Amino acid sequence: MKYNQLGKSDLQVSEVSFGCMSLRGSHAENAVLLQQALEAGINFFDTADLYDKGENEVTVGKAFKNNRNKIVLATKVGNQWRPYGSGWDWNPTKKYILEAVDKSLQRLQTDYIDLYQLHGGTIEDPIDETIEAFEILKEAGKIRYYGISSIRPNVIREYVQRSSIVSVMMQYSLLDRRPEEQILDVLAQNNISVLARGSIAQGLLAGKPTKAYLSFSEAEVKKMVNVLEEVSGNLSIDNMSVAIKYVLQHPAVATAVLGVRTQQQLNHAIKAAHEVELGSAALEKLKQVLTGQVYEQHR
C-alpha cells in the first residue's frame, strides 16, 4: 500500500481509504470489515456525525477502540439533526461546532480526531467564525487538523486564503472532471490535499448498468465506459482500478475515499491499490473522451 502526506500535516494516509458511510451491518460485522481493511494497509477511515444519526461514528469507534493509534480517523460536522429526527439543518456556527465535537469524540470513543471536516459550506456562511472554531479545537487538542468537504470553488478559495486547512474532500472521477479546471492546481500549489470521493461514479465506472450522469447523457457515459474497458484490457486490470488510478494521478490527490459495505467491495478496493500505475498514453486516451467540464455555479 502506498501512503501520501496529507497536505501540510504530518499525517500519512493510504492512497485508497475507507468511506464508512456505506456500512450497514451490525457493529460486530462492521468491525470485522474495518479490521480487515486495516490489516490490508488501509489506515484512513472517514465518517461523519450526520451518517445514520451518529451511529456510523459509534460503529467506527467500537471497531478501533483498542487500536486507535494505528488509524487516521476523520469525521465531519455542520449538519445538525432536528429534534425527533425529521431531517437536518446546516449549522456552521462556532457554538455548534464546539458542542458537536464532544459528542463525536464520545461516539468515536477517542479523545482526539485526526481530521475534522466541515461537512459542506456556502459563501454566505460566517467563515471566519467557523475557522475560529476549528482553531480553538486544535489548540485544545481535540482535533489535530481540519479540512472541508466541498465542491464549490468560491468556498474552497476562501478557506485556502483564510484558514489552515490541510484537505478538501470533493467529488472527482472520469465522469466528473470539473476539479481539473482550476481547483486541483490551486490546492496543489497551496499544499492542500484532495480526498477524492465518487471515484467510480456511483459504480458506473465499475460495471453497473449505464445511465445518464451529471451533465452527460447515457450515450456519453457509455462512450467513456467503452474507452475505460479498452484501457483496462490493455493493462490487464479491471475498470474500477483504472478509474481509481486515474484520480490518484493528480499530485493534489492524497487518497481515493471508497464507500465500502461488503467484503467484495473491500477486496476490490485493496486490489486497486496494488495495481500498476497508468502510463501517460493511457491517461491521455482517457482524458480525450469527454472534455470541457466546468463548474457552472459557485464560481
Side-chain angles (χ1 to χ4, degrees):
M1 182 73 68
K2 181 182 176 183
Y3 299 86
N4 297 314
Q5 183 175 346
L6 189 67
K8 298 180 283 284
S9 79
D10 62 358
L11 302 173
Q12 295 287 323
V13 299
S14 51
E15 68 172 6
V16 168
S17 51
F18 199 121
C20 301
M21 181 179 71
S22 299
L23 289 171
R24 291 293 183 272
S26 66
H27 291 316
E29 291 167 336
N30 292 340
V32 169
L33 204 60
L34 290 163
Q35 289 293 337
Q36 286 177 342
L38 180 60
E39 290 166 8
I42 293 175
N43 77 335
F44 183 77
F45 296 84
D46 176 77
T47 179
D49 59 3
L50 179 67
Y51 303 157
D52 200 18
K53 300 181 181 178
E55 277 301 302
N56 197 265
E57 287 184 325
V58 171
T59 205
V60 174
K62 285 179 177 291
F64 293 120
K65 180 180 180 180
N66 297 322
N67 49 10
R68 169 69 181 87
N69 63 333
K70 294 183 178 180
I71 69 168
V72 177
L73 180 59
T75 191
K76 309 183 196 73
V77 66
N79 294 289
Q80 183 176 19
W81 281 99
R82 297 172 192 149
Y84 313 111
S86 59
W88 62 86
D89 297 304
W90 177 237
N91 190 348
T93 62
K94 174 183 173 182
K95 181 178 184 294
Y96 177 66
I97 292 170
L98 296 181
E99 293 172 352
V101 71
D102 290 327
K103 296 176 183 178
S104 284
L105 288 169
Q106 182 178 24
R107 289 189 291 262
L108 290 164
Q109 299 190 52
T110 184
D111 56 4
Y112 70 98
I113 294 163
D114 293 297
L115 180 67
Y116 203 33
Q117 302 162 94
L118 184 67
H119 202 175
T122 73
I123 203 67
E124 291 80 24
D125 290 345
I127 293 176
D128 287 331
E129 178 183 325
T130 302
I131 293 169
E132 183 184 1
F134 284 117
E135 292 291 345
I136 288 171
L137 293 177
K138 274 183 66 178
E139 185 68 24
K142 293 183 178 182
I143 67 173
R144 295 184 65 191
Y145 302 98
Y146 65 96
I148 63 172
S149 176
S150 177
I151 63 170
R152 299 182 175 192
N154 57 355
V155 173
I156 292 170
R157 289 192 194 95
E158 291 301 313
Y159 278 89
V160 169
Q161 294 169 7
R162 295 155 68 173
S163 77
S164 57
I165 59 170
V166 299
S167 66
V168 176
M169 178 175 282
M170 63 171 60
Q171 183 168 293
Y172 178 41
S173 74
L174 279 166
L175 287 173
D176 187 358
R177 291 172 54 202
R178 293 175 295 177
E180 293 178 4
E181 183 199 4
Q182 294 179 347
I183 293 301
L184 291 183
D185 289 341
V186 167
L187 294 175
Q189 290 160 9
N190 286 275
N191 197 17
I192 297 169
S193 289
V194 171
L195 312 176
R197 62 176 178 83
S199 304
I200 57 174
Q202 298 177 353
L204 294 173
L205 300 175
K208 283 197 173 181
T210 305
K211 65 176 183 178
Y213 184 79
L214 297 179
S215 62
F216 294 124
S217 66
E218 182 176 349
E220 288 172 315
V221 172
K222 181 63 176 176
K223 182 180 178 182
M224 182 74 255
V225 171
N226 287 341
V227 175
L228 182 63
E229 290 176 345
E230 182 181 342
V231 170
S232 62
N234 291 338
L235 296 173
S236 298
I237 62 179
D238 58 38
N239 288 8
M240 177 175 171
S241 296
V242 172
I244 292 168
K245 288 294 185 180
Y246 177 83
V247 302
L248 290 170
Q249 55 86 28
H250 196 284
V253 179
T255 185
V257 183
L258 305 177
V260 177
R261 185 179 69 256
T262 66
Q263 183 69 60
Q264 184 182 41
Q265 290 172 341
L266 176 59
N267 293 342
H268 282 311
I270 295 167
K271 183 175 183 289
H274 293 283
E275 293 290 9
V276 298
E277 300 300 318
L278 304 183
S280 57
L283 286 172
E284 282 306 308
K285 192 175 188 68
L286 292 166
K287 287 179 179 180
Q288 294 306 313
V289 183
L290 302 172
T291 59
Q293 280 182 289
V294 298
Y295 289 111
E296 296 180 357
Q297 297 178 319
H298 312 293
R299 296 180 64 86

